[in-house]
Structure formats: structure tokens, C-alpha cells
Amino acid sequence: MARLLILLTLPPDVTEQYRLRLGRAFPELEIDVVNSRDKLGTALADADMLLTFGQMMKNLKLDLAEARNLKWVQALGTGLDGITDQPALKSSVTVTSLHGVHGPPVSEAALASMLALSRNLPGAVRAQDERQWRRWPAKLLHQKTVGILGIGVIAEALAPKCKAMGMNVVGITSVPRHVAGFDRVCSITELPNVLPELDYLVLLTPYSPATHHMIDAKVFAAMKPTSYLVNVARGGVVDEDALVDALRAGKIAGAALDVFNQEPLPADHPLWAFQNVIITTHQGGFCDTYVDLAMPILEHNTRCFLAGDLKAMVNVARPAA
């Protein structure tokens, strides 16, 4: 009997939805559910199949060297860092992702961040907490320019939303091409020339050695002091020390950050102290319909795995050797 380990540090009611729905669809599965390292026991060692997020693997500091029976990892996100970059991941293990489902939730998160920054909603909440009647002029998104770094499913969903707000939309990517919703698309090599035009820089690029700390002091120096950074990609894309320095020096107007180099963000991290920084807890794709979005892919790939038809799986990011 195949054994599935659901390894998730999510609210229990959310994790339970995965267990119940996969259990009903595949009653032949043995399913273990674990939410912390100290409760893992032999579940990882015994698992044939693993359902998790790469970031949760990193947060729990789990080593796939323990996974002696593992044959398939289904990531619940698009990013695979924390899984495919593990040296102990055997070449015989297939890795699949949830690529394609994050357009609506993450694009909405990016747009919400831009609106919250431009209207200083955190300031309004602080004033409400203090029962103070304070007013200030909002900055409009209308006729502003947004640069979207990384063009994939999420960017393709975000660009038309930005256009609907009356924005000028510039795409920045390694492979320039025509994409609906963008006024123009530039090569990543043109980033230094594009930055001075932008009122918002939204990061959607995957994390890799090539994108590690690509948003650094030089980038912040080239941005307008009235511009904002929105990161709904991966924490490692941003040099956080350089970001802190830029915020302190007023080189940018503020930032909305959903992802960080270390998660959870340590309580003593200086980013917590900035009133022009919005911090959310890797929530970009986490939404009320996420399980519904995920289940068609999970059920299809599980059915293929149990039938021994790995080639029919979808979103295969790393096929078994």
C-alpha cells in the first residue's frame, strides 16, 4: 500500500481538507499528516509520496536523506527551492509543482499591496487604533508606471488588472516577448535603464542562484525616492540589508514584503520597525479557494503515480532519472 506524507504547517482545518479529499479519492492510500519536526517520527522515512511546500521544508530544516522510500514529491507551490536544491534528493524521485494556479491569488495580493502602500492603509489602521482623526492625500495608481519583474502565469494575470487601474505596465524578463496587458516588455539587461521610470517594482521572478539578491543596493539607488517595492516572489531575490539601508536613507518610499530570506521573519529584524513597510506572512497565494485550485492537479498526479504512469503527470519540474 502506497504511503503519503502530508507535511504542512498550515491551519489544521486547511491541512485536513487535503487529507479528507485525497483520502476519499484514493482510499487505498495510507496518509500521514505532520505539522512539525518533533512529530515527524518515521513518517518521512516511510513515505512513498510527499505533499509539502519547499519553504516549509526549509523552515523545518528537513533533510530528504531520511526519505529512503520516497519516489514522488508534489510541491503545493510553484517555487521548488527547499526541495530540488536538496543534495540528498535522489535522482529517482519525481518532483511536480502547482504551476498555473497562482495567477488570481498572487496577482490580487500584488495589487492589494500597491493600493495599501499608495493609500497608506497601515497609517489609517494605526490612527484607528489610537482613535485619531488623521487625513492625507492618497497617491493614485492611475497614470503611474509599474514594472513587473518576471513574466509568467502571475504576471499575465496582474498586468491586465494594472491596466484596468489606468497604469502603464512594463514587463522585465530574460526572454522579451509580446504579452497581453503589457505596454512594453524589456530584457532583464535593461533593468538599470527602466528603474528610474517606475513608481512600483513588483517582483515575481523565481528564486535561483541567478536571481539571488538581484535586487540590491544598485537597484535601490536607481529607483525613484517616490517609488515602492512589492515582493511576492521569494525572499532571496532581495538583498534585505541593502533594502534596510535604502529605507533608512529614503531612497525608496516604502515596500510591501510577503517573503523573506528567513521565515518566519525574526522578531528582532529591522524591517519590522518601518512604518512605510507592510509585512505579510508569505500569504500571497494562500486564499480561501486554494485547496479547490490545487485538487485537480493533486488528484491527476496521484492517479498517475498509483498507476505507475509517471510520464502522464502534469507540472513535472524534475522527472525521475
Side-chain angles (χ1 to χ4, degrees):
M1 184 175 287
R3 198 169 196 100
L4 168 66
L5 170 59
I6 299 176
L7 179 64
L8 297 174
T9 56
L10 295 174
D13 61 318
V14 177
T15 301
E16 184 66 4
Q17 289 185 58
Y18 290 110
R19 188 190 70 78
L20 285 174
R21 292 172 71 164
L22 287 170
R24 283 197 297 264
F26 305 99
E28 67 270 36
L29 278 181
E30 288 282 350
I31 301 178
D32 295 310
V33 179
V34 177
N35 64 1
S36 66
R37 186 183 180 89
D38 60 354
K39 296 178 182 176
L40 191 61
T42 64
L44 182 57
D46 295 339
D48 301 290
M49 313 149 65
L50 173 61
L51 179 65
T52 190
F53 285 95
Q55 188 62 49
M56 292 180 182
M57 294 288 290
K58 289 196 287 188
N59 293 352
L60 295 174
K61 296 181 172 59
L62 292 181
D63 187 350
L64 286 175
E66 304 172 36
R68 58 175 179 259
N69 295 325
L70 192 63
K71 302 174 186 67
W72 168 42
V73 180
Q74 172 67 62
L76 270 178
T78 300
L80 297 173
D81 47 304
I83 298 172
T84 54
D85 53 2
Q86 286 214 26
L89 181 66
K90 297 175 183 176
S91 61
S92 57
V93 177
T94 298
V95 180
T96 55
S97 74
L98 276 192
H99 175 75
V101 307
H102 295 87
V106 181
S107 65
E108 288 189 19
L111 188 59
S113 295
M114 293 163 64
L115 285 165
L117 287 168
S118 65
R119 292 188 168 269
N120 190 17
L121 292 185
V125 172
R126 292 185 183 102
Q128 179 179 348
D129 289 342
E130 298 167 9
R131 303 191 180 197
Q132 296 292 318
W133 187 267
R134 300 183 189 131
R135 303 181 73 230
W136 52 81
K139 296 180 180 180
L140 294 184
L141 299 189
H142 183 66
Q143 295 188 339
K144 298 298 196 306
T145 298
V146 56
I148 301 176
L149 178 58
I151 300 180
V153 171
I154 299 168
E156 290 172 359
L158 175 60
K161 291 180 173 69
C162 293
K163 288 302 296 178
M165 302 295 292
M167 303 188 78
N168 179 46
V169 184
V170 180
I172 305 127
T173 180
S174 56
V175 184
R177 60 198 184 278
H178 173 74
V179 183
F182 288 85
D183 292 288
R184 76 181 199 271
V185 176
C186 305
S187 168
I188 188 67
T189 59
E190 299 177 70
L191 181 62
N193 299 325
V194 173
L195 287 168
E197 304 176 29
L198 305 182
D199 298 292
Y200 301 86
L201 175 59
V202 178
L203 307 182
L204 293 175
T205 188
Y207 177 75
S208 70
T211 62
H212 177 74
H213 285 188
M214 70 181 299
I215 307 302
D216 57 11
K218 292 181 180 179
V219 169
F220 296 124
M223 292 173 68
K224 295 192 292 189
T226 55
S227 63
Y228 296 98
L229 174 72
V230 175
N231 189 7
V232 285
R234 280 290 187 270
V237 174
V238 175
D239 181 339
E240 288 179 356
D241 291 338
L243 173 58
V244 168
D245 290 343
L247 289 164
R248 284 175 175 160
K251 292 182 178 178
I252 63 173
L257 308 171
D258 188 53
V259 287
F260 303 89
N261 286 303
Q262 181 181 344
E263 297 181 5
L265 186 67
D268 60 352
H269 198 287
L271 283 171
W272 288 109
F274 291 97
Q275 293 201 350
N276 59 341
V277 172
I278 297 172
I279 290 175
T280 49
T281 55
H282 207 141
Q283 294 261 96
F286 193 30
C287 63
D288 55 348
T289 61
Y290 198 86
V291 178
D292 297 323
L293 295 171
M295 284 308 299
I297 294 174
L298 302 187
E299 290 183 0
H300 174 85
N301 281 349
T302 302
R303 193 171 295 110
C304 292
F305 179 83
L306 293 175
D309 189 8
L310 303 186
K311 291 183 179 180
M313 285 181 160
V314 295
N315 290 351
V316 177
R318 182 185 181 276

